[in-house]
Amino acid sequence: DVESGGGDGGMLSNIFGMMKHIQTPGIRWDLKPERTKIKFRKRLFPLGLTRLTVGADFDPMAGEWSVKTSWKDTVIGGHLNIHGTELAMTKDFRMDDRNALSLKAAFDWHTKKSLIGFTLKPVMGLNARTGSDRPGFSFRKRVPLNEMLQVEFDSLIEIPEATYTTSSSSGFCLGIGDFKCDLRELNLVVEL
């Protein structure tokens, strides 16, 4: 019986009527990156088993250059990095399908101090954000434009609190706050 709401037409009408009283989180976009860099990278394959990446980053806003190096060993899978006066070797060991144990050994030749340490970290394409009052995920993605140029995005997505609340206006809310998409960094990567 469609007229009394017992048929399919009445049920759809009731569902659409109920949907009008549901408040859902919105989406806020913040597309003004805090940093923009031009990154120059050259990959070399010495010894056939290792990958040496040498590069320089230019920050046009600050007018500063920085040098980046990374040496990845495919035999043991570690990374050898130089940051300032520190030489560091890192190696990640998969604990399970979600976590990794990261070991680091470093030496600062300026202060003559050494460091050996470890951290547990999630292994995901999206990394859960910590140290904030709102949950979220950060991710970094490169989009190739051609063989030598890539655009790199460093973004953050904040997630609203998942909450079911009711109000006196005969409606209810499915979340407190909005989804926030924040573009933190936008870079141009040039592969030499």
Side-chain angles (χ1 to χ4, degrees):
D1 179 38
V2 175
E3 291 178 10
S4 64
D8 290 338
M11 185 168 59
L12 286 175
S13 175
N14 289 338
I15 290 173
F16 287 130
M18 194 170 59
M19 295 295 282
K20 287 192 254 182
H21 299 287
I22 298 174
Q23 297 175 7
T24 58
I27 298 176
R28 291 185 322 172
W29 298 92
D30 186 3
L31 301 177
K32 299 176 189 162
E34 298 169 9
R35 292 177 303 273
T36 299
K37 295 181 181 178
I38 301 171
K39 297 181 175 187
F40 299 93
R41 298 290 185 266
K42 177 66 178 173
R43 287 179 172 55
L44 306 168
F45 297 91
L47 309 176
L49 298 173
T50 61
R51 182 183 74 200
L52 175 64
T53 304
V54 180
D57 293 357
F58 177 65
D59 184 345
M61 294 175 172
E64 296 176 348
W65 284 90
S66 59
V67 175
K68 305 288 182 184
T69 60
S70 174
W71 197 339
K72 183 176 182 181
D73 176 30
T74 58
V75 175
I76 63 171
H79 289 271
L80 184 65
N81 295 304
I82 299 173
H83 295 289
T85 59
E86 180 185 83
L87 176 66
M89 178 70 176
T90 58
K91 168 72 176 142
D92 292 343
F93 296 95
R94 296 288 298 260
M95 305 293 285
D96 55 26
D97 61 340
R98 296 184 185 180
N99 297 298
L101 174 68
S102 180
L103 299 177
K104 178 179 180 179
F107 178 74
D108 188 323
W109 62 77
H110 181 69
T111 62
K112 307 289 190 256
K113 291 185 178 180
S114 58
L115 165 96
I116 297 176
F118 70 92
T119 57
L120 289 172
K121 60 183 181 180
V123 177
M124 301 175 357
L126 298 173
N127 294 320
R129 199 177 78 176
T130 58
S132 173
D133 56 344
R134 292 188 61 188
F137 296 96
S138 64
F139 61 95
R140 183 177 290 265
K141 179 69 177 164
R142 285 188 179 181
V143 178
L145 299 176
N146 61 31
E147 292 179 8
M148 293 182 58
L149 293 176
Q150 299 174 350
V151 176
E152 181 181 65
F153 302 94
D154 182 9
S155 304
L156 172 69
I157 298 176
E158 290 182 351
I159 301 171
E161 182 180 337
T163 306
Y164 168 79
T165 60
T166 59
S167 66
S168 60
S169 65
S170 71
F172 59 93
C173 177
L174 293 179
I176 296 176
D178 291 330
F179 287 95
K180 182 181 176 194
C181 300
D182 184 8
L183 178 62
R184 296 184 298 186
E185 193 170 314
L186 177 64
N187 301 317
L188 178 66
V189 180
V190 179
E191 296 282 343
L192 304 173

